[in-house]
Amino acid sequence: MKEFFFKIIDKKWQQYWMDYKVFQTGIDSSKPKYYVLDMFPYPSGAGLHVGHPLGYIASDIMARYKRHKGFNVLHPMGFDAFGLPAEQYAIETGTHPAESTQKNINRYKEQLKNIGFSYDWDREISTASSDFYKWTQWLFIRFFNSFYDRIENRAKPISQLIGFFEETGNYTIECPNEEGKKFTSTEWKSFDEETKQAILMDYRLAFSAYSTVNWCEALGTVLANDEVINGLSERGGHPVVKKEMRQWFLRISEYAERLLLGLEKVEFSDSLKEMQRNWIGRSEGAELDFKLDQEQGTIKVFTTRPDTIFGVSFMVLAPEHELVQSITTQEQKQEVEKYLDYVQSRSDRERMTEVKKITGVFTGAFAIHPFTKARIPVWISEYVLAGYGTGAIMSVPSGDDRDYAFAQYFKLPIINIFEGVDLSEEPYINKSFKLINSDFLDGLDYKNGFSIALDKLVKRGIGKRKINYRMRDAGFSRQRYWGEPFPIVYKNDIPYVIDDKELPVTLPDVESYKPTGTGEGPLATIPQWVNRPDGSRRETNTMPGYAGSSWYFLRYMDAHNSLEFAAKDAMQYWNQVDLYVGGAEHAVGHLLYSRMWTKMIYDLKYINFEEPFKKLVNQGMIQGTSKFIYRVKNKENTFVSFNLKNDYEVSPLHIDVNCCDGLELDLDKLKAWRKEYESATFILENGKYICGTQVEKMSKRLNNVVNPDDIVAQYGADAFRLYEMFLGPVELSKPWDTKGIEGVSRFLRKLWRLFYDDHGNLIIHDGEALPSELKILHKTIKKIENDIESLAYNTCVSSFMIAINELQELKCSKREILTPMLILLSSFAPHITEELWEALGNKETIAFFPFPSFNESYLAEDSFKYGISVNGKLRTELTFALNATPDEIQREVLTNEMVIKWLDGKVPKKVIIVPKKVVNVVV
RNA sequence: GCCCGGAUGGCGGAAUCGGUAGACGCGCUGGUCUCAAACACCAGUAACGCAAGUUGUGCCGGUUCGACCCCGGCUCCGGGUACCA
C-alpha cells in the first residue's frame, strides 16, 4: 500500500540528498558553469517567516533547472553573521554574540533544510568565522596598499606610487585630496616618515581621515544619524555634538564613473539602476573662480549652469566654509557670529524638516563678476551645504528656486537673462530659452550658451569643466565589538597594516559589550590585546556590517582555501554570479559596495571580471493578511462577527492569523492562544465567526506572521514551494493567504493519482502515447522552457496544473508521458518527483537527468481556425488547412456566403490577414 | 518637489508580436458521493439583462480595420530621494 504522505517523502529525500552529497559541486571544465546566488541572510533571533524563502525558492528552481540543462551549477548558502542585533542582545543579556549567532544560524539552517533547497552545504560560510574574516582583513590590506591611478583609470599597488614620487615627485599626478601639497622628488626624499605616510594616506583606497561624527558625551558613544533626534540622543535625550574623530574610509568616489558605466553591462531592474544612479549623483558642470574685491583670495563655486553667468547677483557660502572668518567685515562681524551660533544650534533634523525656512547673513565682502566686473555681495546661508561641490555657489535668482526665494526674502536684485520671461512670480527653470542681458551670450540657447560661456571661462583661466558626484567616500569603521577587527596597528600614531603572516587578527573576548565612554569601541578596554610587545597599538574600531558581504560571493567559489581568499582557477571558472536574487533594500548599500570591491579586486588582477552580478532579480515582499475580531463597545468581552458588526459600535483587534481557517475563526485555537478569550462571548453568523482582514507588513507585532515550518508540516515542502511561486511574479509584493495553498496541494495529489490508484497500486504502464497526450506534454515543455528563464514561475505552475488536469481527464498513466513530466516538474517540487521517479524504477536521483526536448510536430494541428471579423468586430470562425496561403485565405473569406451576407452586398475595401487567428474584413 | 514603477472580477494574478480580455488558483453558489464529516467529483461564477444582447482592463482624448498593449493629457497607489547648486 502506497499513499502520498509528504512528511515521510520530504524527510526521505532531504536525507538522501545530504547523505549522497547530491548537490556537491566542483570545477568541471567539461560543462558550462552557472552560478546562482541568494543574498545570504543575517540570522536574526526571530527565525524565518514565509516571506523570506520566496527568493530562495526562485533561485533553487533555476539551479535545479540549469542542472537538467547540463550546467555545472554553483548554488551555495551562508550567513552574514556580524551585526548590531547580536551585539545589542549581548549588552542586554551578556550572551556572547558568537553564541547567540551560532544558535540562530542553526535554527535558520534547520528551517532552510525543511524546504528542500539544492544547496552545496559543503561551501557554507559565515562572515564571523575567522577562516572567513581573515580574508576580509587580507583584502583590506590590499586596499590600504593601493591607490587609484586616474590616468590609467584603475587601482594599482601603492609601491608604484612611491617609486613615482621618488623619481619625479607628484606634480603630474592628481591627488584625490585637492588641497594636497605638490612636491618634487628631492622634497619627497627629504620628508620624514610621518609626512610621507600622511601624504600616502591621501591616495590609499582604504584610508583614515578625520571626519565629523555625532558624539554623545553622556552616553560616551558615537551615534548614527538616525539615533539623533532634534540634537538629542534618541535614548536618554542627552545632548549630541559634532566631533572630529579619526575614521576609516573606502575611496569609493574614485569609482563613481565606473560604477555608473558598469550599470550598462548588467541586467538589473530599471528602478534599481536608477536608485544607484541617483545615489552616485553625477552632475556635469563647471568649477569657476570668483575673485574677491579686496584681494582676500578667490571663491571657488561649482555650477551646472555656466550659461547663466550673467544672471549672478550674489554669492552664498556654506556656514562652515573656510573663507567665512577671513572675509567677514568688521561691521558684519557680530551679525555673522550670531548666525553661525544659530546654525551650530540647529540639528540635522531641524535643517531637514524646515527646508522652506530662509535664513542667512551678509558677510560684508564682495566678489567681482568675471565679465561685468560688477561687485557681487557674498552671503552665508545654511541652504548651501559644505559637503557638496565646493561649499559655495554663484546665485542666479532668475533661474533657480532657492536662489529666487533667497533674493526675494533679502531683497537682492534679480537679473532677467531670459527673453520674454516673466519673473515676478517665480524663476524660470526651464532650459528652452534665448539669453538676453548676457553680453556675448545674447541670443544663444541653453546648449550653446553653456559651452561658449564655459570656453571663455576656461580661456581666461578662471574656470574648468568639472564633473561632480554626490556620492561620498564610504565610512568603514564602527565603534563596536561584533565586527571584523582591523589589521592595523599604530606606531607613533601613524597607522600601518600588519604583516599577512599575522592574519587573522581574531576578535578577543571582552568583559562588557557596552560602549566605552571614550568614543572607542569595546575592544579598547582590553589593554593586553591593544598594546603589542613592540610598543605599537592596535586599531580598536571594527569594520562595518557590509565588509564581509562585499566579497562573500567570491569565497563560495573556494570556501575552505586556507592559502588564498579563493584560488585563481576557481574564480576564473565560476566567474560572475549569473543570477543573484535578493531584496531591493540593498540597492545603494550592499549592491554598490560589492560592485566597488569587485572592481578593486579586478584592478589588482585577482579576478578577470569587473561586475560581480550579471543578472539581479529583486524578489517582492510577502505581506501578511492580518485578521481582526470586533469587540463590542460598552459590553464586556463580547465580539461580533464581521458581517454583523455594523449593528454595533465596535473596535477591531488584531488576532493571531494562525487561529483562522480562511476567514473563519477557530474559537478553540483563539482561546488556546490567549487566555482572556476563554470567557468571552462571540456573536456568530450562520454558526461561524467571520474575521475581518487587512493586508499589512508581515510582523510579529501585528500577529500575522506565518512560519514556513508550520506550512511545510501541514502541506509538505513541495506544496509550499509551488504555492510561493504560484502567488504571482517573484518581483512583486503580494499578500500571503494560507487558504490558497489548497489548490497546489490538490494538484500534487492529482499527480500522485496518475501513478497510484486508490488502493496504492502503481498504475504506470508502457502503453504507446496518443498524439493528444504527446501534445499535452510538448505544450507543457514549450511553455516551461519559455517561462522558466525569465523567472515567470507563476505561469509555469499554472501550466503544470493544466497539463495534469488534462492527463487526468485522459486517464493517462503512461510512462512515456509521465517520465519527462516529472523532470519538468522536479525543479519546482523536488521531493514528490524524486519519490515518483523512484517508483518508475530509476536508481539515480532525478536532479541530473536531461531536460526533455520540445518537439514542435506534436503541437501541430491539421488545421487553423481563423476568426473572421468585420470592421474589427469578430463575427465567426472559418477553418483553413495548415498550409493555406494568405491568398487562399483571402479568396475563401471573400467568396464565403456568410461574409457576403454581413457585408450587405458591399465589396470589402480590404481584407487583412494577420498571421495569427483573425482575418479582418474592412468595408 | 524630483526620479522610477504600477492600476485588469470578491481576491492573487494570465493574456510572450496590436488580434476571441479574465488562463490557473482561491473564494463563493448549486449539485453528486456520505448517517455525517473529510476526501473526491460535476456545473456555474466580470457587470447589467428572463433572453437576444449591451457594457467592460483607473479617467479623458488620439492613432489603427482592430488597443489592457502604442501616443498625448490627467487621477490615484507603491517605492526611492531631496535645500546636490
Side-chain angles (χ1 to χ4, degrees):
Chain A
M1 183 77 105
K2 194 117 180 154
E3 56 182 312
F4 176 39
F5 196 55
F6 51 78
K7 268 184 198 168
I8 295 167
I9 294 173
D10 284 359
K11 281 284 152 288
K12 173 179 165 187
W13 290 103
Q14 284 161 16
Q15 193 64 45
Y16 179 93
W17 296 329
M18 211 163 69
D19 290 349
Y20 292 89
K21 292 193 182 292
V22 169
F23 303 113
Q24 196 180 45
T25 325
I27 294 178
D28 177 356
S29 45
S30 70
K31 282 183 180 175
K33 68 93 193 183
Y34 196 85
Y35 187 1
V36 206
L37 184 64
D38 295 301
M39 286 186 191
F40 65 164
Y42 173 79
S44 82
L48 296 171
H49 65 60
V50 289
H52 296 117
L54 182 76
Y56 303 156
I57 296 170
S59 65
D60 193 60
I61 288 170
M62 187 60 88
R64 288 173 181 270
Y65 168 73
K66 286 289 179 182
R67 283 191 200 101
H68 285 310
K69 279 288 195 181
F71 286 84
N72 189 27
V73 174
L74 178 57
H75 186 42
M77 179 47 86
F79 299 94
D80 188 14
F82 278 132
L84 221 47
E87 184 159 339
Q88 219 58 41
Y89 186 73
I91 293 171
E92 285 158 24
T93 65
T95 317
H96 196 290
E99 194 185 310
S100 57
T101 301
Q102 192 54 51
K103 209 178 109 207
N104 293 342
I105 287 178
N106 293 342
R107 168 141 166 71
Y108 264 62
K109 276 177 78 171
E110 203 179 304
Q111 285 188 295
L112 290 172
K113 284 187 173 174
N114 276 338
I115 304 169
F117 295 120
S118 62
Y119 294 128
D120 178 358
W121 281 108
D122 287 345
R123 292 174 185 264
E124 178 186 348
I125 56 170
S126 156
T127 54
S129 96
S130 59
D131 299 346
F132 183 93
Y133 70 66
K134 172 182 177 177
W135 298 108
T136 310
Q137 293 168 341
W138 185 87
L139 285 165
F140 179 85
I141 293 175
R142 301 313 109 176
F143 303 153
F144 181 88
N145 283 332
S146 302
F147 76 106
Y148 200 84
D149 182 336
R150 291 189 177 180
I151 312 279
E152 284 186 34
N153 218 358
R154 70 177 190 88
K156 286 179 172 177
I158 200 136
S159 54
Q160 285 186 29
L161 185 72
I162 297 170
F164 192 81
F165 286 171
E166 281 171 353
E167 259 173 53
T168 53
N170 76 341
Y171 277 89
T172 57
I173 195 148
E174 253 185 275
C175 179
N177 178 0
E178 291 181 13
E179 277 115 57
K181 276 202 188 78
K182 292 291 179 189
F183 50 80
T184 63
S185 63
T186 340
E187 281 171 313
W188 169 258
K189 285 172 196 156
S190 71
F191 290 149
D192 61 11
E193 175 68 5
E194 191 179 348
T195 314
K196 279 184 178 170
Q197 288 300 331
I199 290 167
L200 290 174
M201 198 55 97
D202 281 342
Y203 290 84
R204 297 181 189 278
L205 286 185
F207 65 101
S208 77
Y210 282 89
S211 93
T212 34
V213 293
N214 302 308
W215 171 252
C216 178
E217 190 64 45
L219 293 174
T221 185
V222 169
L223 299 174
N225 281 334
D226 56 336
E227 293 172 314
V228 183
I229 295 168
N230 295 326
L232 299 174
S233 66
E234 188 182 13
R235 268 193 253 170
H238 305 293
V240 173
V241 294
K242 300 267 183 224
K243 191 176 172 183
E244 290 274 308
M245 282 180 70
R246 200 208 280 269
Q247 304 279 315
W248 286 94
F249 293 89
L250 295 181
R251 214 177 287 283
I252 193 168
S253 56
E254 292 289 332
Y255 282 89
E257 192 63 31
R258 280 165 70 189
L259 287 168
L260 211 51
L261 289 172
L263 288 174
E264 311 287 333
K265 292 180 233 150
V266 293
E267 288 177 64
F268 292 8
S269 68
D270 289 345
S271 67
L272 197 124
K273 284 187 182 181
E274 202 56 32
M275 266 190 242
Q276 293 209 344
R277 284 195 193 104
N278 287 341
W279 186 260
I280 295 168
R282 182 186 202 269
S283 52
E284 219 166 311
E287 204 170 85
L288 309 179
D289 294 336
F290 281 74
K291 270 211 165 60
L292 286 154
D293 77 338
Q294 304 293 314
E295 307 280 313
Q296 312 104 306
T298 51
I299 297 174
K300 261 191 197 312
V301 300
F302 175 72
T303 179
T304 53
R305 298 291 301 275
D307 52 305
T308 61
I309 184 88
F310 286 95
V312 177
S313 54
F314 59 99
M315 302 188 74
V316 187
L317 304 181
E320 299 85 354
H321 197 281
E322 52 180 10
L323 284 175
V324 169
Q325 293 302 331
S326 61
I327 64 169
T328 302
T329 58
Q330 212 51 47
E331 305 86 71
Q332 292 299 108
K333 194 117 208 145
Q334 223 183 335
E335 284 280 322
V336 169
E337 290 300 330
K338 217 173 94 191
Y339 185 69
L340 292 181
D341 283 346
Y342 159 79
V343 171
Q344 190 78 46
S345 74
R346 298 250 293 165
S347 70
D348 286 350
R349 184 162 289 237
E350 281 172 317
R351 275 179 81 155
M352 264 190 261
T353 50
E354 298 170 31
V355 163
K356 293 263 150 60
K357 192 168 165 182
I358 298 165
T359 66
V361 64
F362 178 47
T363 61
F366 289 88
I368 301 172
H369 192 283
F371 298 117
T372 66
K373 306 295 174 203
R375 292 174 82 229
I376 313 166
V378 179
W379 285 64
I380 301 170
S381 174
E382 58 179 344
Y383 85 84
V384 175
L385 306 175
Y388 183 79
T390 60
I393 60 164
M394 59 177 221
S395 288
V396 183
S398 46
D400 181 277
D401 273 327
R402 294 148 303 167
D403 295 348
Y404 184 88
F406 196 82
Q408 292 262 307
Y409 190 84
F410 289 109
K411 309 253 177 321
L412 292 160
I414 297 170
I415 307 167
N416 194 354
I417 50 166
F418 306 115
E419 188 181 84
V421 165
D422 174 22
L423 295 175
S424 57
E425 293 292 327
E426 52 180 18
Y428 186 76
I429 301 156
N430 218 303
K431 281 178 185 164
S432 55
F433 52 73
K434 239 185 197 155
L435 287 166
I436 52 165
N437 296 330
S438 293
D439 194 359
F440 61 92
L441 298 176
D442 279 350
L444 295 176
D445 60 8
Y446 167 68
K447 215 176 143 200
N448 288 317
F450 185 102
S451 59
I452 289 173
L454 188 52
D455 282 352
K456 196 118 180 181
L457 286 158
V458 171
K459 217 174 271 170
R460 296 261 299 265
I462 50 171
K464 60 177 182 190
R465 249 173 214 288
K466 169 103 188 200
I467 294 162
N468 206 32
Y469 298 94
R470 197 185 75 97
M471 184 169 63
R472 306 262 72 91
D473 283 328
F476 198 67
S477 41
R478 301 286 183 267
Q479 294 72 39
R480 300 284 182 182
Y481 171 72
W482 192 230
E484 299 88 344
F486 280 88
I488 291 285
V489 294
Y490 294 90
K491 292 176 193 159
N492 302 321
D493 239 26
I494 306 167
Y496 293 92
V497 285
I498 60 166
D499 195 278
D500 287 351
K501 286 196 290 290
E502 289 184 55
L503 295 177
V505 182
T506 50
L507 195 55
D509 285 337
V510 288
E511 297 257 322
S512 161
Y513 306 99
K514 286 200 181 86
T516 56
T518 60
E520 293 175 292
L523 291 179
T525 62
I526 327 169
Q528 60 274 30
W529 184 81
V530 174
N531 299 309
R532 309 201 326 149
D534 63 359
S536 61
R537 291 186 314 99
R538 284 188 194 280
E539 169 64 63
T540 57
N541 280 330
T542 54
M543 297 187 198
Y546 66 82
S549 61
S550 293
W551 73 280
Y552 76 110
F553 45 90
L554 297 172
R555 185 64 178 170
Y556 282 133
M557 297 175 182
D558 192 8
H560 305 297
N561 196 329
S562 57
L563 303 172
E564 299 167 275
F565 70 96
K568 259 199 164 144
D569 61 337
M571 294 193 287
Q572 177 104 34
Y573 178 77
W574 291 114
N575 218 270
Q576 284 173 291
V577 174
D578 294 280
L579 176 67
Y580 195 32
V581 181
E585 66 273 20
H586 300 108
V588 291
H590 163 61
L591 284 170
L592 208 52
Y593 295 129
S594 50
R595 290 183 61 219
M596 177 214 182
W597 280 51
T598 306
K599 287 179 194 303
M600 293 197 293
I601 296 169
Y602 166 84
D603 284 353
L604 300 174
K605 301 201 181 330
Y606 294 103
I607 53 176
N608 61 358
F609 49 94
E610 246 193 284
E611 285 291 338
F613 315 119
K614 212 166 171 176
K615 180 181 170 121
L616 172 78
V617 171
N618 295 120
Q619 89 268 25
M621 296 229 285
I622 292 199
Q623 294 133 311
T625 307
S626 301
K627 297 268 161 47
F628 297 90
I629 57 174
Y630 298 90
R631 183 202 293 277
V632 179
K633 279 190 184 157
N634 310 320
K635 218 172 185 187
E636 210 172 309
N637 224 3
T638 301
F639 301 89
V640 62
S641 185
F642 180 76
N643 295 304
L644 305 173
K645 75 175 165 41
N646 291 340
D647 303 341
Y648 303 82
E649 203 185 334
V650 295
S651 55
L653 284 175
H654 274 95
I655 55 155
D656 186 352
V657 287
N658 299 295
C659 294
C660 298
D661 177 26
L663 294 176
E664 192 182 343
L665 180 64
D666 184 326
L667 287 172
D668 294 334
K669 280 189 188 164
L670 182 75
K671 286 169 184 175
W673 176 57
R674 291 270 164 89
K675 270 211 156 59
E676 70 235 43
Y677 294 114
E678 274 174 12
S679 56
T681 314
F682 293 89
I683 302 171
L684 308 178
E685 50 180 298
N686 306 325
K688 295 172 181 174
Y689 189 97
I690 303 299
C691 298
T693 63
Q694 196 183 334
V695 174
E696 295 173 297
K697 191 173 182 277
M698 194 170 276
S699 135
K700 220 169 187 167
R701 195 171 52 84
L702 302 170
N703 292 317
N704 59 7
V705 173
V706 180
N707 186 330
D709 296 349
D710 297 342
I711 302 299
V712 168
Q714 201 180 341
Y715 297 95
D718 290 334
F720 177 66
R721 292 168 61 111
L722 282 168
Y723 184 51
E724 290 243 335
M725 292 301 102
F726 181 69
L727 276 178
V730 179
E731 299 91 334
L732 240 63
S733 288
K734 54 244 158 185
W736 176 266
D737 171 22
T738 301
K739 194 84 183 162
I741 200 171
E742 301 279 358
V744 289
S745 181
R746 213 163 281 158
F747 156 76
L748 288 174
R749 287 194 295 264
K750 276 185 199 169
L751 174 73
W752 186 264
R753 285 202 306 272
L754 286 177
F755 286 74
Y756 290 103
D757 67 12
D758 292 347
H759 309 289
N761 303 314
L762 195 65
I763 52 172
I764 293 294
H765 60 90
D766 290 323
E768 201 184 326
L770 301 170
S772 56
E773 294 163 343
L774 285 166
K775 199 177 157 192
I776 295 167
L777 174 65
H778 286 280
K779 187 179 72 182
T780 312
I781 295 171
K782 187 180 183 189
K783 182 81 175 139
I784 300 300
E785 250 190 331
N786 261 344
D787 289 355
I788 207 163
E789 299 247 10
S790 55
L791 285 94
Y793 296 147
N794 52 331
T795 53
C796 287
V797 178
S798 297
S799 305
F800 285 130
M801 290 183 174
I802 294 167
I804 296 304
N805 275 338
E806 286 171 352
L807 291 176
Q808 193 195 34
E809 222 161 279
L810 296 172
K811 295 199 187 349
C812 172
S813 290
K814 290 171 184 162
R815 187 183 301 272
E816 192 182 339
I817 299 295
L818 292 175
T819 305
M821 207 53 108
L822 282 185
I823 297 171
L824 289 185
L825 189 56
S826 70
S827 307
F828 292 81
H831 306 85
I832 187 174
T833 48
E834 285 277 18
E835 182 69 20
L836 294 171
W837 186 252
E838 191 188 46
L840 291 177
N842 296 297
K843 293 279 180 280
E844 286 161 90
T845 178
I846 194 172
F848 301 99
F849 277 80
F851 203 75
S853 57
F854 157 64
N855 188 338
E856 193 136 8
S857 65
Y858 288 116
L859 289 193
E861 305 221 20
D862 52 355
S863 63
F864 274 133
K865 273 193 177 149
Y866 274 88
I868 308 294
S869 71
V870 177
N871 284 347
K873 291 221 156 106
L874 190 82
R875 292 301 163 104
T876 190
E877 279 184 345
L878 286 181
T879 305
F880 295 95
L882 251 190
N883 53 0
T885 64
D887 276 351
E888 284 167 354
I889 295 170
Q890 177 161 351
R891 211 173 321 120
E892 181 75 15
V893 168
L894 289 179
T895 53
N896 189 291
E897 235 178 276
M898 288 191 297
V899 174
I900 303 224
K901 199 157 63 187
W902 299 328
L903 298 181
D904 291 331
K906 283 179 199 159
V907 181
K909 273 188 201 149
K910 52 179 172 176
V911 176
I912 302 155
I913 294 153
V914 200
K916 240 193 167 171
K917 302 178 234 172
V918 176
V919 177
N920 216 318
V921 182
V922 183
V923 183

